[in-house]
Amino acid sequence: MLRNTLFISLLCSSYASHALDQQFISLKQTQMTPVFDDDSVFPSGSLDFESSTFREILYQSPDNKAFSIQVSGLLNADNEFDEMKALFDWGGTILVASSGSVKGRFTPTDEARLPGEQEPDELFQTLLPSQQTFEGESSFLGLAWSKDDGTSVGLGYSKVISPILLSVNTYQTYEFGRNPNTGEFENYHPEGSYPTQAIDAEGTIEHLGLWSRLDPLKNSFEYVEATNKMDSGFFFGIDAMTGFAVYTPGDKVSEDYALATEQIAASRGRAGEGTTLVVAKSTSFLSSKITYATGYQMTFPFESVIVGFNLGVEGTTTIHIFEAEVEYGSGADAELFSDSLVLTYGLFARVAASF
């Protein structure tokens, strides 16, 4: 950690004396893959992610422009506007927008089963969504201002729709003895065991917070603009956001749970007695996302434009500490696990120009 901190400090100081006097635009494409394909979060073998493409566009106004709005118009003989032009000059303002999606597939296992395929005499089963394929979404919006130390600080907002594992309270009391349905001495429930976990394939997590970025490629542009010399080398960048997050459940998980419990009730001679699942919303007042990136970059000066690129690998770590807004249903209720950890990694390429 100390080595990384020292490295970041040196990197910032090497560019701190420069400012970007031209507007800066960059495009980035990342091939991202979640790390938790297996039993680190979801039941082993039940979920397969496919890597997906994420795209980011960044715009920064010139650092030396003060905030102003200029509006001009030309009037014709009829006193109508022939032309009206609005020019926004935001000194060192950075706007970032990114979006992407993650596709995958759910696979039934001994522990994780589709609705209607539960084993009533097996404890601690996980309910899979009835739709075996999914496509998650991810988007980010950021507004920041460039600082003299080479960093940018502002506000960020992200929205992610993806599979989320829920803990289910079934309110069932189990007893130990001879199970009349299996003939075995075991823990069982006469009405059959309900799933104690469920996967919400449409769970939404929105994250709003303080956003900061150390952007080595932009800092390289500042150096090239000041010296008119090509710049190249290895880089290390970091992107961080800390704030609060809100989890909103999808509707389908409750429908799937009703279908699953109807099947269990029918196996015990109680057809049509499915159980309602109420999923609580959750809020995290301490949520953090950190993205590390490293690789190689090159920046070239031309007569009226500077162009550059970098490529490398990046990884993200997202941590939420959720507290459920408890809702009690008539048969079962579910909530997000209190601690949520998401890891991803990927390869990226980025091109940029300043003019």
Side-chain angles (χ1 to χ4, degrees):
M1 178 64 73
L2 180 59
R3 182 181 300 175
N4 287 344
T5 303
L6 179 60
F7 181 74
I8 294 172
S9 300
L10 291 174
L11 185 58
C12 290
S13 64
S14 65
Y15 294 111
S17 61
H18 306 301
L20 198 58
D21 294 330
Q22 297 178 316
Q23 58 187 346
F24 175 81
I25 298 176
S26 73
L27 297 173
K28 178 183 176 184
Q29 182 163 305
T30 305
Q31 198 72 15
M32 190 66 71
T33 303
V35 173
F36 49 74
D37 284 8
D38 236 318
D39 56 355
S40 58
V41 175
F42 300 97
S44 179
S46 65
L47 182 57
D48 293 317
F49 282 102
E50 301 173 3
S51 61
S52 295
T53 300
F54 291 79
R55 297 179 178 89
E56 177 194 273
I57 181 169
L58 180 149
Y59 172 79
Q60 177 178 329
S61 63
D63 284 344
N64 61 353
K65 296 288 186 180
F67 175 79
S68 66
I69 302 178
Q70 300 174 4
V71 180
S72 62
L74 298 176
L75 299 178
N76 59 17
D78 296 327
N79 291 326
E80 295 177 350
F81 283 105
D82 285 337
E83 179 185 1
M84 186 168 65
K85 179 181 179 183
L87 175 64
F88 295 85
D89 289 329
W90 295 355
T93 300
I94 298 172
L95 300 172
V96 175
S98 68
S99 64
S101 62
V102 176
K103 298 179 180 180
R105 182 177 181 83
F106 300 105
T107 303
T109 67
D110 289 340
E111 180 184 353
R113 297 173 181 261
L114 296 170
E117 297 182 2
Q118 274 64 45
E119 171 54 55
D121 296 304
E122 187 173 318
L123 305 181
F124 311 119
Q125 294 178 85
T126 299
L127 177 66
L128 295 177
S130 55
Q131 179 65 42
Q132 289 187 248
T133 60
F134 69 88
E135 182 172 353
E137 301 176 8
S138 176
S139 59
F140 174 80
L141 294 174
L143 173 64
W145 286 266
S146 182
K147 300 180 63 179
D148 292 338
D149 62 1
T151 63
S152 305
V153 177
L155 294 175
Y157 166 79
S158 71
K159 181 179 180 180
V160 177
I161 302 175
S162 68
I164 292 175
L165 185 64
L166 302 174
S167 173
V168 179
N169 189 345
T170 65
Y171 298 105
Q172 289 184 300
T173 301
Y174 294 92
E175 55 186 78
F176 181 81
R178 182 179 180 277
N179 187 338
N181 299 289
T182 64
E184 301 291 337
F185 283 89
E186 57 188 352
N187 286 319
Y188 74 98
H189 194 283
E191 296 180 356
S193 299
Y194 292 161
T196 55
Q197 292 183 339
I199 295 178
D200 179 4
E202 303 169 339
T204 300
I205 294 180
E206 296 174 276
H207 186 189
L208 176 67
L210 180 66
W211 170 55
S212 62
R213 170 176 286 189
L214 171 62
D215 190 342
L217 184 59
K218 182 179 70 69
N219 292 340
S220 177
F221 269 67
E222 295 176 357
Y223 172 80
V224 170
E225 184 182 76
T227 63
N228 202 35
K229 297 179 181 179
M230 186 195 81
D231 184 51
S232 64
F234 292 96
F235 71 88
F236 176 81
I238 189 170
D239 192 304
M241 185 168 71
T242 300
F244 69 94
V246 176
Y247 160 68
T248 304
D251 297 328
K252 198 69 172 63
V253 64
S254 294
E255 298 175 12
D256 289 342
Y257 200 87
L259 177 60
T261 53
E262 283 175 8
Q263 182 265 343
I264 293 174
S267 71
R268 294 293 189 264
R270 298 179 294 108
E273 297 185 16
T275 296
T276 300
L277 177 69
V278 177
V279 184
K281 293 183 178 180
S282 300
T283 301
S284 171
F285 293 102
L286 181 59
S287 292
S288 298
K289 179 180 179 180
I290 301 177
T291 300
Y292 304 94
T294 186
Y296 193 82
Q297 65 186 23
M298 299 182 72
T299 307
F300 305 91
F302 293 95
E303 183 175 349
S304 59
V305 65
I306 301 172
V307 296
F309 72 92
N310 63 13
L311 50 87
V313 296
E314 70 178 24
T316 65
T317 301
T318 305
I319 299 175
H320 303 295
I321 302 177
F322 283 104
E323 291 291 337
E325 302 172 14
V326 179
E327 298 182 25
Y328 295 99
S330 59
D333 58 63
E335 63 184 60
L336 194 65
F337 282 93
S338 60
D339 298 332
S340 174
L341 173 65
V342 179
L343 305 174
T344 65
Y345 68 94
L347 303 175
F348 73 89
R350 184 182 180 198
V351 295
S354 178
F355 50 89

